[in-house]
Amino acid sequence: RRRLPSPPVAMESRIAIALIAVALLCGAAPAVAQTKTQITVVGDWAKHTPSSVAANSLCSSGYFFDPAGLECNQCPAGSSVDGFGCACPANTRWVAGTGVAPYGACTACETNTTLSWDNSTCMACDASNGATLNAAETECECLTNLGADDLTKVLVEFDESGARYAAGKRCVACPSPDGTAAGARDVDRNGFCISCDRIRKKDGTGWIQMTYDAATKTCSCPSGSDYDCFDLAAKKSSLTAAYSTVTFDSTANTLVYSDMGASIQSATVISDWFANNLIEQAHLCNNYGNTTACNAVANACVLAMYSSSHAACKLYAGMRDKRTASQYHQTDASTKVNPKLDWSETLPWLYYSTGDYASRADVGLTMSFSVPAENEYDTVSNLVFVLSVSTLSGEWLGFRPVGKLLQLCGGREDDLQAWSRFGTNYFNDCSLPVADALDAARGMGISTAGETLFFDLYLQDLGGLAPTANAWPERLYPVPIKVSNIAENSNAAADDDTFVRRFFVIDETAGVASGTKKAVTYMKNIKFTITARSDEKSKIYPPAVSITYASRDPSFAYTVEDGVGFQCVYTVDDSFWTTWDNVFITAMVFSGAYWAYGMMRVSRRRITRDADSSLMMYAVGTGAACVAGGLAVVLIFGGLYWFLFFKAQQEVYTVVPMDSDSRVKMFKEVLDAAVGLAAVGMAYTIAWQCNYDIFFLDWEKPRATTTPQGHMMNAPVSAWRKMFIANEWNELQTERLTSRAFTLTLMLLFLLGLDWQNMCVIEPTLATDDPKPYQVQSMLLRFALAAILMCVIVLCQVVYKFVWHHNYVEHPIQQFVDLLTMANMSIILLDDECSGYYLHGRSLMTFSDTSMQELMAQMRREEEMQVSARGLVPSAARAELAENQVFELYITKELRMAYESKLLRRIQESAAMQGGGMMGAAGALASRGGRPRGGGMAGSMGRNEYGRGGGWGGQG
């Protein structure tokens, strides 16, 4: 299952647009009916690779999946399912049909006949020549007079000229293997006898026949050392004499498979291939320098996961060290293979001897994000990786480009090679049933002859030169491989990692013991990492490849799926993070300085210099907000750097790191810290605002009125103006320079509606096309894009409010101050213990609770400048002071203590007398003014009870 980065919202929006378009088209023109041919394919092919095992499991019993017609077909009577077709049972042959169904049939061999070895005909057993039919085995056999298997005779089907015997299969006596012993049949091969070679003396003077050992069924060398002869014992002794650390006991043929995920988690296998081939191939490599045999020994070491304790790797290391005097590629000028290597002659190169190979600066390629023009070789935009391929037996098959290979998940043909384009982070991951994963691996890791294939990886490095005609590949740069299954690579430390040269995709040969397949190993994950150099961004370090293998039990029916994948990640050794650290430190210094300045201002406003709990809370709350602001600056700086410099580059400058990178994780941790500190600062701000002391001062005078009895009295002042002003004050608390709903709507419009979110894909373009299945998004780019959009949208709203809205539409604060004047009310706001603000709203009118006609007349007089200014000091010579209605306010400590000890106590007592709850507090506020500290109800401090201003002192 492939990861699809496109969110479902984008698809739903496209569906809606498509439906609207269809509706418009249907209204504009009549619909035209179309006929479609629809075929039904059995099974869910989105989750399976097209293998015969998976395909036939979706069909009924006795049916096979026919890929030609994409349906399940039944096998003819008498046959059974075999792959994408049918096969005849034992001792039956396939007889051609007439060209129409059923196209052929399985026909059993006649009585007393057996199927030929090539399955083409049936043959009798020629009794006159010693062949007897074994009905149970449906095969002829050669027996002695006592009825036992005669090992001195061999069953044959053809004569010396290659003609098939008409009378049937016959028994022929095997010649003596060495001229003295009785003949012996080769039990492993049909129609073959065992023979022993004749060997020559070392001085070339004569020949001698090797002797046959009937007990071991092997040929032995004569005694003495005069002959150039190697039997099994001689081969072992020559190898152990040359390499004393090697022992050829059962451990030399033993492989251990772990984490198999089956009924058994591990398996120890005595490999048939190692037992039959290791000594022979090591003998040919060591004693004759046979390059094919040396290749096979190296392959055996690869299958042993490069274990330094395994006999195969000990043999390879010993022969490599012995031949260090003669090495391949000792000069670079002629071969163009860099760098100089520890590569002994006759042997393939398996191990890297130095640990600094990945940091070498000798790769000649110059990279570019743009496609170079034709016949321009100075720069390249696509990396060309080349595989040198050989078989398990050591045969070299040549070169081939990596291209679409090594990707078990498959995919779209156009996408499979996108990973080689420089800067394209490529992820082709999926989950496959074990059987399907093994089938996919077989398709690229097994030769047509059924042998395991081994690969050496190179990068074609032309170094800015034009390629030579008919000479591909050339100038190959070897690529190091890190196999995570190697014991040295399984720990967390990176300084002791082992890098190697050769790998395989799947092996089903080494895990066979006694003819039974015990274990299979396949490449579960492969990851390419290409890093641009810090000193010259258009140059790269040697690519590095990491491979992880998995072992599975072929006899176990797995019900879980394996996660397999192919990734290619491009990085850069960028110095940005050093700059980011410097910016971080600078931002924190400025944040600390700003916080200290704020603390100084607050301390100056406070009467006492002693620290108390409120000051400590202020220090913590504002400190968190300042640090959060500094972190936000650092984060936005980092995000903008990656977005602008990565997305806008044409030549190689930087590459966005993956989200799994430790530095990106640090970026996310800083973001989490900024959000957490901002939340602390916001919580303090809310708590601070909830503990203001607010007083509404009503300057309205009582009106004199006459009672029905003719008495003069002062009518009470209406409370509706105070309630109205209090409500407007509460509404003013929600006023913002920006609209949250508008901001989020625009964010959604740009990110989802216009698909700008697709710009967060790690590609050096600003395209908004749907991401490819192999592409991934970057958290750095997502943050940067969101920050850019948020800042631009917010800035535009702020500019609009200051430049246009507040000047030509409405200014909420100025209108509120004007409303206070019209209502003949002032506000005292204490946001700290002894400081706050005073909003002067005392009207020049006699009464504000009056008719509309009087209000309009008063406003007309103000317009005509017939009355004094509205400010607290209307007679001031300075116009700005005469009109000023908003002041900072400071009170003495004694006044604060008197307020808390007298006014608040009376409010609390009134609240207790009238119920003791919030309703009681509200009644007290309505009757006497003020409010309990921390409450949410505003009251009035009127002239009747406390006098003008209530004894408060003001300072402008």
Side-chain angles (χ1 to χ4, degrees), residues 854-932:
E854 292 186 14
L855 287 176
M856 293 299 295
Q858 176 65 23
M859 294 174 66
R860 189 175 298 109
R861 285 194 295 271
E862 278 195 76
E863 183 180 3
E864 296 173 353
M865 303 293 291
Q866 296 179 8
V867 295
S868 59
R870 289 184 177 184
L872 181 63
V873 190
S875 60
R878 292 162 50 191
E880 62 272 16
L881 179 60
E883 295 289 345
N884 190 18
Q885 295 179 261
V886 181
F887 301 87
E888 277 191 275
L889 180 70
Y890 296 91
I891 63 174
T892 63
K893 184 70 172 179
E894 293 75 12
L895 184 57
R896 178 71 190 195
M897 295 174 63
Y899 157 67
E900 292 181 350
S901 62
K902 296 180 179 179
L903 179 60
L904 285 183
R905 184 185 303 172
R906 292 179 60 183
I907 294 174
Q908 294 169 357
E909 291 174 354
S910 298
M913 293 175 59
Q914 299 183 24
M918 290 300 297
M919 293 301 296
L925 291 170
S927 62
R928 296 183 178 271
R931 71 170 179 89

Side-chain angles (χ1 to χ4, degrees), residues 208-220:
I208 191 171
Q209 180 72 46
M210 297 180 68
T211 59
Y212 178 70
D213 186 352
T216 61
K217 296 183 177 58
T218 59
C219 298
S220 302

Side-chain angles (χ1 to χ4, degrees), residues 471-490:
W472 184 91
E474 56 184 319
R475 292 180 62 89
L476 298 179
Y477 195 102
V479 177
I481 308 292
K482 178 184 176 181
V483 179
S484 60
N485 304 75
I486 298 177
E488 292 81 356
N489 297 343
S490 59

Side-chain angles (χ1 to χ4, degrees), residues 130-142:
T132 305
L133 177 65
N134 185 335
E137 299 291 337
T138 63
E139 181 57 281
C140 302
E141 59 184 359
C142 301

Side-chain angles (χ1 to χ4, degrees), residues 40-334:
T40 302
V41 182
V42 64
D44 183 6
W45 288 94
K47 299 180 180 179
H48 301 282
T49 53
S51 65
S52 61
V53 176
N56 292 331
S57 66
L58 301 172
C59 299
S60 303
S61 178
Y63 285 76
F64 69 95
F65 186 81
D66 186 354
L70 303 178
E71 68 176 1
C72 295
N73 284 334
Q74 188 175 15
C75 287
S79 64
S80 59
V81 176
D82 181 26
F84 289 116
C86 304
C88 294
N91 211 40
T92 61
R93 62 191 180 94
W94 185 262
V95 178
T98 60
V100 296
Y103 311 111
C106 293
T107 304
C109 289
E110 295 80 2
T111 306
N112 296 327
T113 61
T114 64
L115 191 65
S116 62
W117 293 332
D118 60 5
N119 298 328
S120 62
T121 187
C122 297
M123 298 181 67
C125 298
D126 189 355
S128 61
N129 285 287
T132 305
L133 177 65
N134 185 335
E137 299 291 337
T138 63
E139 181 57 281
C140 302
E141 59 184 359
C142 301
L143 302 177
T144 63
N145 293 333
L146 299 177
D149 188 12
D150 190 351
L151 296 177
T152 64
K153 295 182 179 180
V154 63
L155 193 68
V156 295
E157 294 183 348
F158 299 90
D159 60 15
E160 293 81 354
S161 63
R164 197 184 300 272
Y165 287 113
K169 301 179 182 181
R170 64 174 60 183
C171 293
V172 177
C174 285
S176 173
D178 56 3
T180 60
R185 181 172 76 243
D186 189 342
V187 296
D188 295 325
R189 297 183 297 172
N190 289 327
F192 284 85
C193 298
I194 297 176
S195 63
C196 295
D197 296 333
R198 294 179 71 233
I199 58 175
R200 191 179 182 87
K201 283 188 175 182
K202 291 182 179 180
D203 57 9
T205 58
W207 295 82
I208 191 171
Q209 180 72 46
M210 297 180 68
T211 59
Y212 178 70
D213 186 352
T216 61
K217 296 183 177 58
T218 59
C219 298
S220 302
C221 294
S223 58
S225 58
D226 295 337
Y227 297 94
D228 188 14
C229 178
F230 290 95
D231 57 10
L232 182 61
K235 293 172 183 176
K236 284 185 178 180
S237 62
S238 66
L239 291 173
T240 52
Y243 313 105
S244 58
T245 59
V246 180
T247 55
F248 291 102
D249 53 12
S250 60
T251 59
N253 308 322
T254 301
L255 298 176
V256 178
Y257 298 86
S258 58
D259 298 327
M260 300 182 70
S263 54
I264 55 173
Q265 285 297 313
S266 62
T268 301
V269 177
I270 300 178
S271 173
D272 290 350
W273 187 90
F274 276 76
N276 297 331
N277 294 276
L278 181 59
I279 294 176
E280 177 64 23
Q281 300 296 345
H283 154 69
L284 294 175
C285 178
N286 181 66
N287 295 310
Y288 299 105
N290 186 301
T291 56
T292 301
C294 292
N295 222 4
V297 173
N299 293 338
C301 180
V302 176
L303 292 178
M305 288 299 162
Y306 294 94
S307 173
S308 58
S309 61
H310 196 276
C313 295
K314 289 181 179 179
L315 288 169
Y316 171 85
M319 289 183 279
R320 177 200 60 195
D321 296 341
K322 181 185 290 187
R323 299 170 185 175
T324 53
S326 300
Q327 296 188 19
Y328 294 117
H329 310 297
Q330 295 191 53
T331 59
D332 296 340
S334 60

